[in-house]
Amino acid sequence: MAVRTAAIPQELIYRAAYEANRLAATTVPRDGLVAFQRAAQRESKPLARFVLRKIVDNANLAVAENRPMCADTGLPRYYVKVGNEAAIEGGFVALERTLRQAVADLTHDIQLRANRVHPLTRHNPGNNVGIFAPNVDYSFEPDGDWIDIIVVHKGGLFGTDYRMLFPADGVTGIKRFLLDNLAEFARRGLSCPPVIIGVGLGGTKDQCVRLSKEAACLRSIGDRHPDPLVADLEVELNDLANRTGFGVMGVGGDTTSYDVHIEIAYAHTGGLPTAVSQLCHAYRRAVGRVHPDGRVEYRDDPQWFTPYYRRVGIE
Ligand code: SF4
């Protein structure tokens, strides 16, 4: 007879969600700190170098003083990866109630900016909780009996765009779209570059946009796609973005993009859907893995794009 895994209590999920939100708000993932420092060191333009150094100082100060690194604390959102063997006390409805409560409490306790408002009345509930807020997206993983609660406080929301290309547009069309996107948003400083750029290729329109956001938010800087064709394009697009010279906050400089991550999905034979999402340099993310035995492990690498998540065939 199969042994049933003990249910993960909501109290433990609450603790992990609250702490992951706190860590996302007040720490900077290590890959981000390294990328900030490298960009400042190699910058050739004095004004851009000055601003990049201020980004490094600001990130270090935020960590030292346990405070958010930007006054705009973005939009708190969750990505939840659930092991196939995990059992959750109260099920997914209870889980979602707990995740919403953690955002409301953290918004109050650490003074995240209450950014979420009704889109028409502009009513602000004051706790970042409302209709479809915070976002919760799910994926699943074979064998695991744990839940990963991934928190992103997403900034740079002006830098997301979508275009339906034709297959014949190919890589040239993708590059053109990326350059249009950067010219529109990066030069005007709307997404606060340097940014991490996520590109979604293929799928349906909604899949494509979702993948571009996940690519921007849920992969570490320097990580390459396992498909060499995609990985090479990531390097090429990052080089292209930086050759625009838009630079940090649009003041001109060598680093417009810290990295480009591409995710692909099989597309309709007649189209090449393409989406670009920018994650601003306020790089805020943390993960809590909750085990049924009561342990919670925190880390900054989401490990969202597993081989199972990117599976090609039926198995
Ligand atoms: S885009 Fe990022 S860095 Fe700029 S104001 Fe928003 S959260 Fe802050």
Side-chain angles (χ1 to χ4, degrees):
M1 196 202 299
V3 179
R4 190 162 169 72
T5 310
I8 299 174
Q10 287 301 323
E11 186 274 331
L12 192 64
I13 294 172
Y14 174 83
R15 239 187 315 132
Y18 184 94
E19 181 61 7
N21 270 289
R22 192 190 68 77
L23 290 170
T26 59
T27 61
V28 182
R30 274 159 299 181
D31 56 303
L33 282 174
V34 170
F36 297 172
Q37 282 160 357
R38 279 200 189 134
Q41 279 161 6
R42 69 172 176 231
E43 179 60 55
S44 62
K45 313 278 185 313
L47 178 58
R49 191 162 56 239
F50 172 80
V51 180
L52 286 167
R53 282 182 183 157
K54 287 298 162 201
I55 288 177
V56 174
D57 292 347
N58 183 48
N60 289 331
L61 209 60
V63 173
E65 296 191 355
N66 203 29
R67 292 166 60 169
M69 69 179 292
C70 178
D72 178 354
T73 50
L75 296 182
R77 61 182 297 153
Y78 292 103
Y79 293 91
V80 179
K81 193 178 280 293
V82 185
N84 197 42
E85 311 308 323
I88 301 169
E89 179 194 35
F92 282 89
V93 171
L95 169 76
E96 295 200 321
R97 196 179 299 129
T98 299
L99 296 179
R100 290 164 77 85
Q101 187 67 53
V103 162
D105 291 349
L106 208 278
T107 299
H108 171 266
D109 295 351
I110 211 165
Q111 296 187 341
L112 294 183
R113 198 164 83 179
N115 278 335
R116 289 279 199 172
V117 299
H118 186 288
L120 294 175
T121 66
R122 313 312 286 181
H123 166 70
N124 189 336
N127 59 4
N128 280 313
V129 174
I131 300 173
F132 293 121
N135 319 36
V136 186
D137 291 297
Y138 297 92
S139 70
F140 303 95
E141 195 63 16
D143 301 327
D145 58 2
W146 40 258
I147 311 172
D148 272 356
I149 299 173
I150 304 167
V151 173
V152 178
H153 293 174
K154 171 79 176 66
L157 75 158
F158 296 101
T160 298
D161 209 351
Y162 170 83
R163 188 176 286 177
M164 174 56 97
L165 302 175
F166 292 105
D169 292 324
V171 170
T172 307
I174 295 166
K175 287 180 176 173
R176 172 67 191 260
F177 177 43
L178 175 63
L179 289 175
D180 287 349
N181 175 275
L182 289 174
E184 179 65 22
F185 299 106
R187 192 170 50 176
R188 293 157 61 196
L190 280 177
S191 52
C192 293
V195 291
I196 297 139
I197 299 171
V199 178
L201 296 178
T204 56
K205 179 177 183 178
D206 54 324
Q207 277 183 316
C208 186
V209 173
R210 178 173 60 79
L211 280 174
S212 72
K213 187 151 290 185
E214 292 180 6
C217 298
L218 300 176
R219 286 174 51 189
S220 296
I221 297 168
D223 171 47
R224 295 275 70 90
H225 194 280
D227 180 338
L229 184 68
V230 179
D232 287 349
L233 188 57
E234 290 176 336
V235 174
E236 202 176 334
L237 293 188
N238 191 49
D239 182 50
L240 178 70
N242 286 326
R243 278 193 287 123
T244 61
F246 293 140
V248 56
M249 299 303 283
V251 303
D254 303 328
T255 305
T256 303
S257 161
Y258 287 126
D259 205 355
V260 172
H261 296 141
I262 302 173
E263 291 298 329
I264 60 168
Y266 278 33
H268 187 285
T269 183
L272 174 53
T274 303
V276 174
S277 286
Q278 299 183 23
L279 177 63
C280 70
H281 69 258
Y283 187 42
R284 300 169 290 209
R285 183 180 67 211
V287 188
R289 174 166 290 189
V290 191
H291 296 272
D293 62 7
R295 283 176 301 129
V296 183
E297 297 164 320
Y298 296 99
R299 61 179 200 269
D300 55 23
D301 177 2
Q303 298 170 14
W304 179 254
F305 287 97
T306 61
Y308 175 75
Y309 191 48
R310 290 186 179 122
R311 62 197 178 278
V312 180
I314 293 168
E315 289 304 319

